[in-house]
Amino acid sequence: MTNPRILIFLMVSALLSFLASGAKNARAFHSGGVGECEGCHSMHNSQSGFSAGSAGASLLKGGDASSTCLTCHQVSGDTGPSSYHVSTPSGEMPFGTPPKQLSPGGDFGWLKKTYTWYADVVSPMASSAGDRHGHNISAQDFGFQADSKNASAPGGSYPSSALSCTSCHDPHGTYRRNQDGTISTSGKPIRDSGSYDTSPTPDAQTSVGSYRMLGGTGYVPQGMTGGLAFSFAPPSAVAPSDYNRSEATTLTRVAYGSGFSDWCRNCHTNIHNGTYSFKHPAAGFASGASAGTLDVTMINYYDQYIKTGDLTGSAATAYFSLVPFEIGTQNYSILKSIVTTSPTKGPDLADGSPAVMCLSCHRGHASGWDYGMRWNSKTSQITYNGKYSQESLLYQPYGQGRTEAEALQAYYQTPSLKFDPSQQGLCYKCHATVPQ
Ligand code: HEC
Ligand code: HEC
Ligand code: HEC
Ligand code: HEC
Ligand code: HEC
Ligand code: HEC
């Protein structure tokens, strides 16, 4: 446990050097590295009316680590998706109304939405519990509780009771991408975020933050045992600056480069393999999981597939953000150019080794569907009669208790009419037939 006096001393000295460095962007907070200490820590026990927590809680502004993050990342009164906000207050998403944020990781508000429905006259009532909708971060000040079913990460041992924003993101943003492409926790100072197409390129004097300040090799949050420390580096990716937005007319493309599946395996070591009920490859070269790259046949099929019954698509416009893939490269000039100049192009062997990865199917935070899936994998078709929901009907085998507004939001505002009126699940974006 850190002595509070030492902590305050560290904060004051760091703040002074932070102010002296002058290198940070005034609008930003973390800028890819450690933000101003006072954004998260309270120097005095009752500062700003926040509970400072116990000394063991590192004098945080919130009651726990996640609550501290949510003091800025969940804001009341947003009229729609808004920049770095990743959660919607409970009171702003009453029954039938979806959470507001549409960031690539997804709105944690979905964890508070439980759905029930009857599929037909004979089946018992079915349900989709809120805590099935993704990563249940504990945030006591905001009503988020640990998962009630999984005691630990499926396929691994990370305890659900300890899952917080800082399980995945390093609050002090120490992981940095260097000029030679390596990732380290020390060395050159972090100049800015490394997550965007507009981020600077690391040079001889400065580095940039890891993608989304995700923890890398050796990362373990304070208070966790070393046995849970990460084995794999942060993934390589580039997001557009405008990443939290409706996809009603144009899609949001994150250029996922490589390393996502290995990064998720930091906690889900043995998922979808061996004895696991649902088997599926997810390429990860650091872990030796080389299966999962898209061969020429699958690339061509991805390019042609528009929707059920429509294979008239082409490579230049084939990308679909509800079924993304890894481009298969760590080359940031390629990743940045894809985000800025060809955001809709499909998998391309000229860019790297495109592959299926965890985020092809799941979202990093949460979604409107079970298991944080990008689409509803619990039904044979995701539209029925051209709609996502059967909200006014007695039996709802496809919409499964979600209102049209909720399902539409869960599909990031993709109009249902972009799909076939009886659209199959999105496994078919890659597979002509889904193998059993
Ligand atoms: C984005 C929020 C955030 C910012 C900004 C931040 N911290 Fe922290 N800090 C945390 C959290 C959260 C913890 C507790 C670790 C945990 O629970 O994962 C922590 C823990 C600590 C600890 C004790 C544990 C350790 O890791 O040694 C010290 C010391 C510390 N912070 C110092 C600082 C200083 C100095 C600054 C400013 C340069 C700073 N922090 C900025 C969030 C932050
Ligand atoms: C004082 C307000 C504040 C607090 C507290 C805060 N954030 Fe942020 N966060 C921001 C702002 C503003 C941005 C967007 C600008 C930026 O990235 O600097 C942001 C951006 C981010 C990003 C994207 C950064 C990137 O470079 O891609 C992540 C990830 C993030 N925050 C995680 C956290 C986590 C985890 C915590 C808690 C440990 C936290 N934040 C606490 C204000 C805050
Ligand atoms: C299980 C790991 C995990 C946890 C827990 C987690 N994040 Fe994230 N977060 C990610 C990943 C992975 C991404 C990148 C998503 C993408 O680009 O598709 C991300 C992205 C983000 C972003 C950028 C916007 C977005 O959604 O893409 C912000 C801001 C952020 N996280 C903040 C938070 C905050 C605040 C918390 C806690 C309330 C949190 N994260 C908890 C893994 C996590
Ligand atoms: C720091 C550890 C950690 C990392 C990294 C992590 N997870 Fe998890 N994950 C967990 C824990 C713990 C649970 C169980 C608690 C829960 O379901 O909320 C979990 C649960 C899940 C679930 C089941 C959700 C449900 O509602 O049943 C999915 C799906 C998942 N993770 C996918 C991912 C993906 C994809 C990534 C990489 C982007 C990832 N995880 C990275 C710790 C982690
Ligand atoms: C092809 C799509 C796909 C890919 C790729 C994929 N998953 Fe899944 N995942 C699913 C589906 C579908 C389920 C639900 C399975 C079921 O119903 O039993 C699931 C379930 C899970 C669960 C919950 C398991 C449980 O027992 O509660 C976790 C955790 C998870 N996936 C993590 C991952 C991680 C980590 C990766 C990458 C290494 C990954 N998934 C890759 C589709 C996928
Ligand atoms: C982003 C593309 C992509 C998506 C989406 C996708 N797959 Fe796959 N799938 C692959 C690749 C690549 C392989 C490995 C190559 C192969 O076997 O053809 C694979 C293999 C499989 C296999 C054989 C697995 C084995 O180990 O024998 C099954 C079964 C499968 N997929 C089912 C599914 C299901 C079900 C879904 C939807 C939940 C799905 N896939 C979604 C790309 C994808």
Side-chain angles (χ1 to χ4, degrees):
M1 198 179 291
T2 315
N3 178 325
R5 280 170 195 280
I6 298 178
L7 177 60
I8 289 169
F9 171 76
L10 282 172
M11 286 196 260
V12 171
S13 37
L15 181 61
L16 291 175
S17 62
F18 166 88
L19 293 172
S21 78
K24 309 268 172 165
N25 176 340
R27 270 186 316 129
F29 174 61
H30 313 275
S31 298
V34 66
E36 210 174 308
C37 318
E38 283 210 309
C40 296
H41 295 282
S42 189
M43 307 278 206
H44 304 289
N45 265 2
S46 59
Q47 184 164 348
S48 321
F50 283 107
S51 128
S54 64
S58 310
L59 298 175
L60 291 175
K61 280 196 159 179
D64 50 38
S66 300
S67 299
T68 303
C69 309
L70 289 173
T71 57
C72 294
H73 286 278
Q74 175 185 301
V75 170
S76 301
D78 280 348
T79 51
S82 175
S83 180
Y84 58 91
H85 299 168
V86 292
S87 180
T88 301
S90 312
E92 296 184 17
M93 39 173 207
F95 186 80
T97 305
K100 296 174 187 174
Q101 308 305 329
L102 293 170
S103 66
D107 191 316
F108 286 100
W110 291 111
L111 297 167
K112 294 178 178 171
K113 291 251 155 199
T114 290
Y115 299 103
T116 54
W117 67 93
Y118 290 96
D120 51 53
V121 68
V122 290
S123 308
M125 189 169 81
S127 72
S128 166
D131 62 1
R132 285 283 59 70
H133 299 161
H135 283 117
N136 293 273
I137 35 113
S138 322
Q140 61 183 50
D141 302 356
F142 294 85
F144 287 105
Q145 271 121 35
D147 192 282
S148 64
K149 181 184 142 214
N150 298 320
S152 57
S157 54
Y158 200 94
S160 301
S161 57
L163 192 60
S164 86
C165 311
T166 58
S167 300
C168 296
H169 300 281
D170 179 355
H172 300 130
T174 47
Y175 288 83
R176 66 202 72 196
R177 176 160 54 86
N178 305 309
Q179 187 178 25
D180 63 1
T182 55
I183 301 280
S184 62
T185 52
S186 60
K188 309 280 186 299
I190 293 172
R191 182 170 159 205
D192 210 335
S193 169
S195 304
Y196 305 105
D197 57 312
T198 50
S199 295
T201 302
D203 56 26
Q205 282 77 42
T206 55
S207 299
V208 294
S210 61
Y211 181 63
R212 296 307 188 193
M213 295 160 51
L214 293 169
T217 315
Y219 180 68
V220 60
Q222 192 206 357
M224 301 292 291
T225 62
L228 294 166
F230 285 8
S231 317
F232 302 111
S236 309
V238 171
S241 315
D242 188 12
Y243 55 85
N244 186 2
R245 57 192 279 284
S246 162
E247 301 190 46
T249 48
T250 55
L251 52 82
T252 302
R253 177 152 199 184
V254 175
Y256 295 106
S258 80
F260 278 90
S261 303
D262 282 342
W263 187 81
C264 302
R265 287 188 184 107
N266 278 318
C267 294
H268 299 285
T269 321
N270 291 303
I271 194 81
H272 301 321
N273 62 15
T275 56
Y276 210 81
S277 58
F278 175 67
K279 291 184 192 46
H280 202 279
F285 298 98
S287 66
S290 55
T293 48
L294 276 53
D295 63 12
V296 175
T297 311
M298 201 181 273
I299 291 174
N300 290 337
Y301 182 75
Y302 186 105
D303 287 346
Q304 288 157 11
Y305 184 93
I306 291 181
K307 59 187 181 186
T308 298
D310 184 349
L311 289 173
T312 61
S314 61
T317 52
Y319 183 74
F320 193 16
S321 56
L322 292 173
V323 196
F325 52 86
E326 240 176 39
I327 290 152
T329 181
Q330 300 187 321
N331 183 324
Y332 275 79
S333 353
I334 293 179
L335 298 178
K336 286 182 177 184
S337 79
I338 286 173
V339 169
T340 48
T341 60
S342 37
T344 58
K345 88 166 174 178
D348 188 343
L349 288 167
D351 298 328
S353 310
V356 62
M357 53 151 184
C358 314
L359 295 185
S360 297
C361 304
H362 299 285
R363 292 210 179 259
H365 293 160
S367 81
W369 315 113
D370 279 358
Y371 306 108
M373 284 287 289
R374 287 179 183 258
W375 68 91
N376 189 356
S377 64
K378 297 287 175 201
T379 167
S380 57
Q381 54 191 73
I382 64 169
T383 61
Y384 172 75
N385 266 344
K387 289 192 164 157
Y388 291 127
S389 169
Q390 301 91 54
E391 59 187 11
S392 52
L393 304 181
L394 189 52
Y395 303 117
Q396 307 182 358
Y398 308 114
Q400 303 193 331
R402 283 84 173 166
T403 59
E404 190 68 17
E406 287 171 315
L408 180 62
Q409 184 81 345
Y411 288 117
Y412 280 55
Q413 299 285 331
T414 308
S416 58
L417 294 175
K418 269 201 178 173
F419 288 116
D420 186 75
S422 299
Q423 173 67 37
Q424 292 175 296
L426 300 182
C427 309
Y428 292 95
K429 176 72 173 156
C430 292
H431 293 284
T433 54
V434 178
Q436 292 308 308

